Amino acid sequence: MKKEEKHRILILGASGFLGGIIYKELCSYFKTFGTYHTQNKNYEKNKHFFQYAVEEDDIYEILNAVKPTIIISALRGDFAAQVIAHKHVVEYILEHKSWLIFLSSANVFDAYSKYPSYEDDKTLSNSIYGHFKIKIENMLLRLPKKHVTILRLPMVFGPQSPRILEMLQNLKNNEPVEVFPNLIINVTNDSKVTQQIHYIINRNKLGIFHLGSNDLVHHDEFIKEMIDTLDSKNKAIYKKVFTTNEDRYLAVLPKHNLLPKHLQLSSQEIISELKYN
Ligand SMILES: NC(=O)c1ccc[n+]([C@@H]2O[C@H](COP(=O)([O-])OP(=O)(O)OC[C@H]3O[C@@H](n4cnc5c(N)ncnc54)[C@H](OP(=O)(O)O)[C@@H]3O)[C@@H](O)[C@H]2O)c1
């Protein structure tokens, strides 16, 4: 298949869980490049991959080598260094009229516990992680709209997600799985996130998107249902973690910037997909 010339895509954090599946989804359609951090022989040999340490390297060198028209940020690493790296990315996108797709988190709302949050709600966080995501979001929201898409993600599951792999490992080792009975969340999975991002690129969708399920679930009930689906042999031990006495919401519901029906999801779809995996 001939790759579209329309875009050159650079994924920051392409060796990670989300960066990796986004790379797989896009690389047959676009010239796609990525960064990795941890030493890895396969990436070293691959000309589409660049080793990058956010605390040490200047992202500008990779940007100048790849000349992406789209940058997808799926990084982890030191927060202060990430803020500086994103400043450099912003300089690049303004200069080269390109587009940044930033993976943000439901944690930008973690100081609001009484309601779920929508795209236009004011962000507020009590956590260092949430503060850091807000700082980058605010920097991006000051730019002309045509340069930026912010994707706020809830917890992302999927058969190969670190969260599920860790739970299955706990189960095997007879160790407890942590659940938060008071926490009301929405959720998503890796396959839906990649389809959504592909659509957002094809249709040039800009602004803020909440990429979570349309429905809300209690964290403990959802995790138990997933475990029952994945492993019927081992009996799970649950460790209930209560952070408050009252129910607390951490949910990014889509309302204003809706994707087409087939790209929306319900929490049950995540369970069903695990069943048939
Ligand atoms: N997973 C979720 O449920 C979730 C939910 C909400 C938001 N998000 C956001 O989505 C993004 C990706 O998350 P993820 O779960 O896919 O993370 P991940 O699996 O930990 O991947 C992180 C990526 O960043 C790279 N990285 C780590 N430290 C680095 C450093 N010091 N310098 C340069 N690169 C470094 C990793 O490289 P190596 O692997 O090669 O070391 C990897 O490519 C993050 O921004 C996260 O905040 C994720």
Side-chain angles (χ1 to χ4, degrees), residues 15-18 37-38 54-55 75-76 129 133 156 163:
S15 54
F17 163 52
L18 290 173
H37 179 236
T38 308
V54 70
E55 302 83 358
L75 269 187
R76 293 202 195 259
Y129 175 60
K133 289 287 189 190
V156 185
R163 280 196 173 86

Side-chain angles (χ1 to χ4, degrees), residues 10-61:
L10 174 66
I11 300 169
L12 307 179
S15 54
F17 163 52
L18 290 173
I21 50 158
I22 297 168
Y23 186 94
K24 277 203 198 96
E25 168 77 20
L26 300 177
C27 70
S28 334
Y29 301 93
F30 304 99
K31 286 201 173 123
T32 309
F33 301 82
T35 68
Y36 65 100
H37 179 236
T38 308
Q39 203 73 28
N40 178 309
K41 287 248 153 34
N42 291 328
Y43 293 132
E44 256 168 54
K45 285 188 247 155
N46 186 333
K47 289 206 166 57
H48 282 230
F49 276 77
F50 297 79
Q51 192 169 24
Y52 169 63
V54 70
E55 302 83 358
E56 291 158 30
D57 302 323
D58 192 341
I59 193 62
Y60 227 93
E61 281 177 25

Side-chain angles (χ1 to χ4, degrees), residues 4-5 30-31 40 55 57 66 84 92 97 99 109 120 123 126 137 170 192 223 229 232 247 263 271 275-276:
E4 270 193 49
E5 298 299 323
F30 304 99
K31 286 201 173 123
N40 178 309
E55 302 83 358
D57 302 323
V66 174
I84 295 169
Y92 174 90
K97 302 186 175 39
W99 175 18
F109 296 113
D120 297 342
T123 52
N126 283 331
E137 280 198 5
N170 287 348
K192 195 59 106 182
I223 296 287
T229 307
S232 49
D247 276 349
L263 291 173
I271 306 278
K275 253 182 224 165
Y276 300 111

Side-chain angles (χ1 to χ4, degrees), residues 66-109:
V66 174
K67 300 214 175 353
T69 55
I70 300 178
I71 299 149
I72 301 176
S73 168
L75 269 187
R76 293 202 195 259
D78 179 77
F79 293 162
Q82 277 200 64
V83 171
I84 295 169
H86 283 84
K87 278 187 185 150
H88 292 171
V89 170
V90 163
E91 283 166 21
Y92 174 90
I93 58 171
L94 289 175
E95 196 181 328
H96 295 82
K97 302 186 175 39
S98 45
W99 175 18
L100 171 62
I101 300 177
F102 177 66
L103 268 54
S104 189
S105 156
N107 281 82
V108 297
F109 296 113

